[in-house]
Amino acid sequence: MSLTSPLFFAFLAAVVVAFHVSESVAYRRFVLGAANTIFIASYLTDVTQVLPLIAFLALGYVCVSALYLRQSSLVLASGVVAILCCYVFLKRFSFFEGLGQLPFPYLTIGLSYILFRILHIMVDVRSGDLAERIGPLAFFRFTCNFLCFVSGPIQRYQDFSAMDGKAAVQLDSSVVYSAFSRIATGYVKFVIIAATADYAFTFLSPHLLQPAGLPLLKLCAVYAAVASLYTIYLYFNFSGYMDIVIGIGTLLGQTLPENFDKPFSARSFLEFWQRWHMTLSQWFKLYLFNPLLMFLMTWLPSPALTSYLGVLAFFITFGVMGVWHGTTAVFVIYGLLMGAGASINKLWQVACTERLGKKRYRALTGSTAYIYFARGLTVAYFVLALTCLWVPELPQFTYLLARLGVAGVVGTFVLVAAAFGMAALSLDLVRARIRIPLTLSMTQGGEITKNLHLAGKMMAIIAVATLLHKAPDFVYKAF
């Protein structure tokens, strides 16, 4: 079900109306469960396509139930291995082609995020953080929540359970306006900015992989433009999707976690990952990085090794994250590149603190030149590392690198870093000097301005969607 299709809007309207027909918790849970079922069914052309998903959910529920009966490390480890093996088989990773495949097409959308939710429940039940017994229907509503089914955000069961049909939703004018404004903002990002960037990316990117060679300087310029356009497309597509589902969640009494917090204002690579896809970052930090680092520190309890153990934990964590993103070897490279970025950042911080001391290092990082230099380097590294996502096949990836050579990659990196650092500085200077003379409250309580603002977004969405004749899809659906 495409987010921009008339079918989705009709489905959404029907769910919201049905949800508010009664305040009965049991009734509202039924509506949410039925909405999940209908949403998943919209991706099916044959009933057999859903059988692997049902088997995956059933296995997850059995593993969770076993942990309620016996909260042991052995049961947890057995369950995690069973779930991961099932996930790897169903996702058809290229590394495990020898495992064979099911002899019919089936639904793989949603598997990656369901995996996180099941593992989180299992770990929290084992640790005692989740004492509430989860029934099969509640398990289904949580793991297959249609708002988060395709691309997250990754919600904790404890937070979901507190609202599951129970939250009092008063749809007064302020709540409805807030929800519709958030949804409209999401569609502006999704239909206008992301779609336009994708349009330009689709036009330019074939030039990079054509046999006829471009001069090196022109090749670097095209590569910088293509990589930047993909990053713009990815961010506005994904964050727009989050705005839409968070706005819809408001109408259904669900407060979904935020997933982005101005990531391109980050002053370091580590800070970038605290602002980008935040629920994924927090999940990996909580359930993989922290336990792994604790294990390594217990195994090698020397304070002098702590930073280096952190580097190892970064590589392993981002490596797993890279494999989760895709099914080919290039995604392993993507994870290692992200791990390298985080490790270099961490080692830089440690080295500067040791050499300069905390006070002087803090003063250095607060200087204007350092801030925009660091922001440029951070974005440039991320932009080029994302190449793995739009050139996911290893032969094409290595061909592109061979065409660029070391000089081409370094030249493109410098070009993107300089362009973004200068653009960020210029934008911040302009913002600091602009004073808006009118506020919303100065015009009839802001109602006219607010409605004009919302209507303007809607008209722009319709105009651009008509002009491009291209319905975008969620970028993370394929992951």
Side-chain angles (χ1 to χ4, degrees):
M1 190 182 299
S2 169
L3 218 61
T4 55
S5 67
L7 180 62
F8 178 77
F9 293 118
F11 164 76
L12 178 60
V15 172
V16 173
V17 171
F19 183 84
H20 289 281
V21 165
S22 169
E23 294 185 357
S24 163
V25 172
Y27 168 79
R28 287 185 166 181
R29 287 176 173 173
F30 170 78
V31 170
L32 294 175
N36 295 347
T37 304
I38 293 169
F39 187 77
I40 294 171
S42 71
Y43 288 101
L44 306 175
T45 56
D46 186 278
V47 70
T48 58
Q49 294 176 346
V50 79
L51 296 179
L53 174 62
I54 293 173
F56 188 58
L57 290 170
L59 175 63
Y61 190 72
V62 168
C63 294
V64 170
S65 300
L67 277 163
Y68 279 118
L69 294 174
R70 187 176 179 185
Q71 296 177 335
S72 72
S73 298
L74 180 61
V75 175
L76 174 62
S78 302
V80 169
V81 170
I83 287 294
L84 287 178
C85 288
C86 186
Y87 172 77
V88 167
F89 177 76
L90 292 178
K91 286 290 284 187
R92 306 187 186 107
F93 280 87
S94 61
F95 326 108
F96 304 107
E97 289 180 347
L99 291 174
Q101 296 180 358
L102 293 178
F104 58 89
Y106 56 86
L107 189 69
T108 57
I109 300 168
L111 280 181
S112 298
Y113 286 93
I114 291 173
L115 171 72
F116 284 138
R117 295 182 191 117
I118 292 175
L119 292 179
H120 136 68
I121 292 176
M122 291 171 63
V123 173
D124 281 7
V125 170
R126 166 67 183 86
S127 67
D129 289 342
L130 182 53
E132 177 185 349
R133 193 68 180 247
I134 304 174
L137 294 179
F139 183 80
F140 171 69
R141 286 194 300 277
F142 172 64
T143 54
C144 296
N145 183 356
F146 79 94
L147 295 174
C148 315
F149 183 72
V150 176
S151 301
I154 303 169
Q155 192 179 25
R156 297 179 75 235
Y157 180 79
Q158 292 89 329
D159 299 328
F160 170 82
S161 178
M163 301 177 292
D164 184 22
K166 295 182 283 190
V169 188
Q170 299 297 328
L171 291 186
D172 56 28
S173 59
S174 62
V175 172
V176 171
Y177 176 81
S178 174
F180 272 91
S181 180
R182 187 74 187 259
I183 293 169
T185 299
Y187 275 106
V188 167
K189 291 181 179 178
F190 196 77
V191 175
I192 298 179
I193 305 175
T196 305
D198 184 42
Y199 207 77
F201 168 81
T202 305
F203 175 76
L204 280 177
S205 57
H207 295 284
L208 294 172
L209 299 174
Q210 286 176 352
L214 295 171
L216 183 59
L217 288 178
K218 190 172 182 180
L219 183 65
C220 291
V222 173
Y223 179 42
V226 168
S228 300
L229 284 168
Y230 181 80
T231 305
I232 293 170
Y233 160 69
L234 178 68
Y235 171 69
F236 284 99
N237 182 296
F238 198 12
S239 68
Y241 175 83
M242 289 299 133
D243 288 332
I244 293 168
V245 297
I246 288 173
I248 296 171
T250 301
L251 299 174
L252 297 173
Q254 295 189 36
T255 304
L256 299 178
E258 296 288 345
N259 223 14
F260 294 93
D261 179 21
K262 300 177 182 175
F264 298 106
S265 66
R267 301 179 183 184
S268 70
F269 196 73
L270 292 174
E271 184 187 351
F272 184 90
W273 272 102
Q274 293 169 2
R275 295 170 174 270
W276 175 276
H277 206 162
M278 292 188 296
T279 58
L280 178 71
S281 304
Q282 290 163 1
W283 192 97
F284 271 101
K285 179 181 178 183
L286 189 62
Y287 294 107
L288 181 56
F289 180 82
N290 286 347
L292 179 61
L293 186 58
M294 290 296 293
F295 170 76
L296 293 173
M297 291 174 66
T298 305
W299 187 42
L300 297 169
S302 170
L305 294 176
T306 302
S307 299
Y308 301 101
L309 296 179
V311 166
L312 178 59
F314 275 133
F315 270 103
I316 294 174
T317 302
F318 278 104
V320 172
M321 186 190 290
V323 172
W324 173 81
H325 270 80
T327 60
T328 67
V330 179
F331 288 93
V332 178
I333 298 173
Y334 167 76
L336 295 178
L337 286 173
M338 292 298 169
S343 301
I344 292 169
N345 191 169
K346 186 64 181 176
L347 292 174
W348 168 259
Q349 289 178 347
V350 171
C352 285
T353 303
E354 289 178 351
R355 189 174 185 83
L356 302 176
K358 289 184 179 179
K359 189 175 180 181
R360 289 177 62 194
Y361 177 59
R362 195 178 302 116
L364 173 67
T365 57
S367 65
T368 301
Y370 184 94
I371 289 171
Y372 291 98
F373 182 70
R375 286 178 64 177
L377 291 183
T378 298
V379 172
Y381 189 88
F382 183 73
V383 165
L384 297 196
L386 284 185
T387 304
C388 302
L389 302 192
W390 51 271
V391 189
E393 298 300 330
L394 191 57
Q396 290 181 322
F397 185 76
T398 53
Y399 174 73
L400 177 60
L401 289 182
R403 286 195 66 186
L404 288 161
V406 175
V409 173
V410 173
T412 307
F413 179 79
V414 172
L415 180 62
V416 175
F420 183 81
M422 292 175 66
L425 175 61
S426 303
L427 191 59
D428 287 349
L429 289 174
V430 169
R431 281 178 180 162
R433 285 164 173 74
I434 287 181
R435 296 289 184 271
I436 299 176
L438 293 176
T439 62
L440 297 180
S441 60
M442 295 172 66
T443 309
Q444 295 189 6
E447 290 300 320
I448 294 177
T449 307
K450 286 165 58 179
N451 290 329
L452 283 175
H453 188 227
L454 187 57
K457 289 180 182 176
M458 300 302 293
M459 292 300 294
I461 292 166
I462 294 170
V464 174
T466 304
L467 182 66
L468 291 180
H469 296 290
K470 184 178 181 181
D473 209 341
F474 339 126
V475 65
Y476 261 64
K477 189 173 80 171
F479 298 167

